[in-house]
Amino acid sequence: MSAGAPVLALSGGVGGAKLALGLDKILAPGALTVVVNTGDDFEHLGLSISPDIDTLLYTLSGLADPTRGWGRRDESWNFMRALTALGGPDWFALGDADLALHVQRSRRLAQGETLEAISADFARALGVATRIVPMCNERVRTRLRGEEEGWLDFQTYFVRQRCAPVLREIVYEGAAQARPRTPLQQLAADGGAALRALVLCPSNPWLSLDPILALPGVRAALGASVAPVIAVSPIVAGDAVKGPTAKLMREFGLPVTHGSIARHWRGLVDALIVDVDEPGLRESCGDEVEIIVAPTLMKSLADREHLAEIVLQAADRICAVRAGRAAAPSSARRP
Ligand code: FO1
């Protein structure tokens, strides 16, 4: 299939951005659209912060800090030093160059512009051809109920309390009232007929992708997609690569296995890419789902591009099989 055919990816967090970079590098400029989670967004110091949009923006523009995965590389921290000296909150680190982006976004939002328009301008300004689209423009907030702590905002849980609270419940406040942005509306309208692939990046399903699927019509659109839906499991060597995925799964009584991820995506995906096979994985996926065993730990750029190739090859294979079937009598694809 041509490198120019459009691909839609859903992503959030650092892990998702890694695969998005691999897709960005192997596809033609502008072929990739990434719909990004905004459930992590919050207001801090009077600024509107959109961490998952920024992580993707910095990752695709080569500005991301390679160690942390979030924020910019080669940062200076004069602002944080001065803020702390004034008794300001120091738990959420804002580098000097990163701060400029938050100030500019906040200023433009306050003038009534949309997060979508601002994000598109930032991508252009940073030379990113891939379309970076927030899942919606309305305020949606992932909130978590800790066993001891009660309800927490996402960044309070994730950064301030370093994911220590034992989670009992997750809600995506505002999702039901939000309007999914154009790529998702397009998917609902045409079933992704023009898409080469629809990719669920290896983000935390519960924290980074479910907010997107919680928007009206998105889960149904995914389930009805004629484009192949390819998911990459965020579990590697029986654990999460980074962040609270494994801990969250244990707290929800889920085995930290690809089987749990497969059950979470059951009925939505056509292929699941895992680092190792597991007994019973096929049953967890549901019939007709292809299980692909491939290296999913992305340390280098080559790893990111290689995994992206595997994702697209899976999609092309599924398309070819379907095209072949189209000649034969039609068969129901998914239960
Ligand atoms: N994560 C941290 O663990 N500590 C921080 O101080 C921190 C600051 C920060 C600033 C800007 C930004 O865009 C992201 C930042 N993150 C920080 C990461 C952020 O909390 C997470 O990347 C997402 O919310 C989870 O995917």
Side-chain angles (χ1 to χ4, degrees), residues 13-14 40 49 51-52 54-55 70-71 91-94 98 102 154-155 158-159:
V14 171
D40 295 5
I49 312 264
D52 285 356
D54 297 347
T55 295
W70 51 265
W91 60 274
F92 195 78
L94 293 169
D98 187 34
H102 302 301
F154 182 88
Q155 298 299 341
F158 192 86
V159 180

Side-chain angles (χ1 to χ4, degrees), residues 12-15 37 39-42 49-55 58 68-72 77 80 90-95 98 101-102 105 154-155 158-160 162 204 207-208 242 244:
V14 171
N37 167 45
D40 295 5
D41 292 12
F42 76 135
I49 312 264
S50 296
D52 285 356
I53 292 178
D54 297 347
T55 295
Y58 291 149
R68 291 189 311 243
W70 51 265
R72 287 192 186 210
W77 302 92
M80 284 306 293
D90 64 356
W91 60 274
F92 195 78
L94 293 169
D98 187 34
L101 186 147
H102 302 301
R105 170 185 286 128
F154 182 88
Q155 298 299 341
F158 192 86
V159 180
R160 195 164 198 178
R162 302 188 187 293
N204 180 314
L207 297 183
S208 299
K242 176 185 176 73

Side-chain angles (χ1 to χ4, degrees), residues 2-207:
S2 87
V7 172
L8 176 62
L10 305 187
S11 179
V14 171
K18 290 181 181 175
L19 179 57
L21 180 60
L23 290 165
D24 173 86
K25 291 293 183 193
I26 66 171
L27 289 169
L32 178 63
T33 296
V34 186
V35 171
V36 194
N37 167 45
T38 57
D40 295 5
D41 292 12
F42 76 135
E43 284 66 43
H44 185 60
L45 305 173
L47 297 169
S48 296
I49 312 264
S50 296
D52 285 356
I53 292 178
D54 297 347
T55 295
L56 188 64
L57 198 53
Y58 291 149
T59 300
L60 298 188
S61 58
L63 286 172
D65 180 279
T67 316
R68 291 189 311 243
W70 51 265
R72 287 192 186 210
R73 64 169 65 241
D74 314 324
E75 263 293 13
S76 55
W77 302 92
N78 299 308
F79 167 75
M80 284 306 293
R81 251 196 305 280
L83 178 69
T84 308
L86 290 168
D90 64 356
W91 60 274
F92 195 78
L94 293 169
D96 297 335
D98 187 34
L99 180 62
L101 186 147
H102 302 301
V103 168
Q104 176 65 345
R105 170 185 286 128
S106 304
R107 186 180 69 77
R108 293 181 60 175
L109 283 172
Q111 287 178 341
E113 293 194 66
T114 65
L115 189 56
E116 183 177 22
I118 297 165
S119 305
D121 279 355
F122 285 3
R124 242 186 313 278
L126 297 184
V128 173
T130 287
R131 292 173 62 216
I132 296 177
V133 184
M135 67 186 196
C136 63
N137 286 319
E138 296 76 15
R139 177 195 171 90
V140 173
R141 293 291 178 267
T142 300
R143 288 174 57 74
L144 309 129
R145 183 165 61 82
E147 188 170 70
E148 306 296 323
E149 302 78 358
W151 286 102
L152 301 165
D153 287 344
F154 182 88
Q155 298 299 341
T156 302
Y157 161 75
F158 192 86
V159 180
R160 195 164 198 178
Q161 302 197 10
R162 302 188 187 293
C163 307
V166 173
L167 296 184
R168 287 290 173 253
E169 202 175 347
I170 304 173
V171 293
Y172 311 112
E173 220 166 63
Q177 292 72 39
R179 278 169 42 81
R181 293 320 308 140
T182 318
L184 296 170
Q185 289 174 359
Q186 184 70 42
L187 176 67
D190 68 12
L195 292 178
R196 176 180 181 186
L198 212 165
V199 185
L200 298 185
C201 291
S203 309
N204 180 314
W206 296 271
L207 297 183

Side-chain angles (χ1 to χ4, degrees), residues 311-323:
V311 165
L312 295 178
Q313 283 160 10
D316 294 348
R317 203 169 41 248
I318 289 165
C319 266
V321 166
R322 285 202 193 137

